[in-house]
Amino acid sequence: MSRIVTIGAAQLGPVQRADSRKEVVERMIDLLHQAAGHGCELVVYPELALTTFFPRWYVEDVAEFDEFYERELPGPDTQPLFDEAAHLGIGFCLGYAELTPDGHRYNSQVLVERDGRLVARYRKVHIPGHEAYEPDRPFQHAERHFFEPGPDEPGVWPAFGGLVGMMICNDRRWPETYRVMGLQGVELILCGYNTPAHYVPDPSQDILQGFHNALVMQAGAYQNGTWVVGVAKAGLEEGVDAIAQSCIIAPSGQIVAQAFTSADELLVGRCDLDWCRRYQDTLFDFDRYRRPELYGRISGQRGAIRP
Ligand code: CDT
């Protein structure tokens, strides 16, 4: 079996509240067809791909926003995507809002193999933003009101001829996310994101959003010798601008493909999973060089304790 996986990063432009799931799924299937034309085996879609990024609004009772959550996947509106992908023999990674039968709400992502088999579901671990309504903001980022943090460590699963992990948006800013997967031998990390260009708590960071986006994913890739695929939902959505710059990053930390636009756009990378070992067996030979006996604070302590 070849260890080269041809991957399509399927960036989506804005999804407005009035856009139906059916319309969004049609756009996603169009990107899937483009991916088939490029010989892709795996297509990666953004975080909360099926709807607008609804945590920008606040409602006291989260149930008022049930329309944005999936109670089943595939469901009636998403079944055509699952069917077409299986028909084309293309696997995919899809971010969505999950409402479980027992009422839990997660920001989730699924990985589906080329034959349509569900490989894994990942639930976002690092939930950013705020819990309560913040009246002084131009828009809300109330993810902590709408989602519980995922209860499981970022996992790694055998798929696409390698070891594949997932993370979602804010997870990509935390080195722990990558390392937990790195310690499971990850070779390919798939990440969807929605990142507003304006960071309300500290606007000085606005002009650095693209830099920080690349910085964290390039560092995570290099320091763990893994491929990283980051895919945006981008552009002006309900008056809020979100960064684009979807990219495919090699284990060297180099960007090998990057989006040009803030619209629906497919970028393609030929990802050789064997390249990971050049880093994992040398400079980042964890078993040889790491000092876990000195890292107890990483898992034993949450906030900084300053002397
Ligand atoms: N979706 C998501 O996690 N977005 C955050 C925005 C910054 S925190 C308000 C991110 O880390 O990109």
Side-chain angles (χ1 to χ4, degrees):
M1 182 163 41
S2 167
R3 293 262 294 163
I4 293 177
V5 189
T6 304
I7 301 176
Q11 177 175 285
L12 286 175
V15 174
Q16 311 302 345
R17 188 167 186 174
D19 298 342
S20 69
R21 266 186 195 62
K22 190 168 173 295
E23 288 167 328
V24 179
V25 166
E26 279 169 13
R27 286 164 58 183
M28 295 170 80
I29 290 175
D30 184 51
L31 288 162
L32 197 61
H33 288 149
Q34 292 179 38
H38 288 277
C40 293
E41 296 150 81
L42 169 61
V43 168
V44 184
Y45 296 107
E47 174 193 36
L48 302 177
L50 299 165
T51 68
T52 201
F53 188 78
F54 61 91
R56 75 168 61 88
W57 296 299
Y58 191 88
V59 285
E60 199 64 49
D61 179 3
V62 292
E64 279 183 48
F65 272 6
D66 276 359
E67 66 190 277
F68 295 114
Y69 293 79
E70 310 303 308
R71 290 173 187 274
E72 51 179 350
L73 200 71
D77 293 328
T78 47
Q79 189 69 55
L81 175 68
F82 282 72
D83 290 345
E84 191 60 12
H87 171 70
L88 294 168
I90 299 177
F92 63 93
C93 178
L94 167 67
Y96 68 106
E98 178 189 8
L99 178 52
T100 68
D102 52 349
H104 294 282
R105 294 167 193 271
Y106 298 110
N107 187 336
S108 301
Q109 204 169 265
V110 286
L111 180 62
V112 176
E113 255 289 8
R114 291 155 285 194
D115 59 2
R117 179 175 52 88
L118 179 74
V119 175
R121 172 183 294 108
Y122 169 74
R123 291 164 173 157
K124 186 175 182 177
V125 166
H126 302 94
I127 308 291
H130 48 100
E131 291 85 358
Y133 180 64
E134 297 194 357
D136 293 337
R137 285 175 157 265
F139 57 89
Q140 304 293 300
H141 197 108
E143 274 196 68
R144 295 175 72 86
H145 180 57
F146 290 109
F147 299 115
E148 292 174 44
D152 302 317
E153 71 168 10
V156 166
W157 297 272
F160 300 91
L163 294 171
V164 184
M166 290 187 274
M167 61 184 179
I168 301 176
C169 197
N170 190 260
D171 288 326
R172 77 195 189 287
R173 303 188 193 272
W174 300 92
E176 294 87 346
T177 311
Y178 303 85
R179 188 62 103 220
V180 165
M181 290 189 265
L183 287 167
Q184 300 169 78
V186 75
E187 296 172 317
L188 171 62
I189 299 177
L190 310 176
C191 178
Y193 60 89
N194 285 261
T195 297
H198 177 37
Y199 183 59
V200 179
D202 177 16
S204 77
Q205 297 180 30
D206 292 2
I207 56 165
L208 302 172
Q209 288 287 9
F211 166 64
H212 289 156
N213 180 54
L215 176 72
V216 291
M217 292 195 288
Q218 289 183 263
Y222 168 63
Q223 291 171 343
N224 294 278
T226 180
W227 289 88
V228 173
V229 180
V231 185
K233 177 137 69 57
L236 196 62
E237 199 180 84
E238 297 292 346
V240 178
D241 196 21
I243 65 163
Q245 298 187 344
S246 300
C247 55
I248 299 176
I249 301 162
S252 61
Q254 292 167 290
I255 294 175
V256 299
Q258 190 165 30
F260 294 108
T261 73
S262 299
D264 290 7
E265 178 182 339
L266 183 84
L267 43 147
V268 178
R270 267 171 56 84
C271 304
D272 182 356
L273 302 183
D274 281 337
W275 206 263
C276 300
R277 299 306 283 262
R278 288 177 179 260
Y279 291 85
Q280 293 179 358
D281 289 350
T282 58
L283 198 67
F284 295 114
D285 180 342
F286 291 167
D287 195 42
R288 186 169 184 194
Y289 297 119
R290 288 183 75 250
R291 300 287 309 282
E293 67 278 17
L294 303 182
Y295 306 152
R297 283 179 191 273
I298 299 282
S299 58
Q301 181 181 320
R302 184 184 297 192
I305 300 174
R306 297 181 178 89

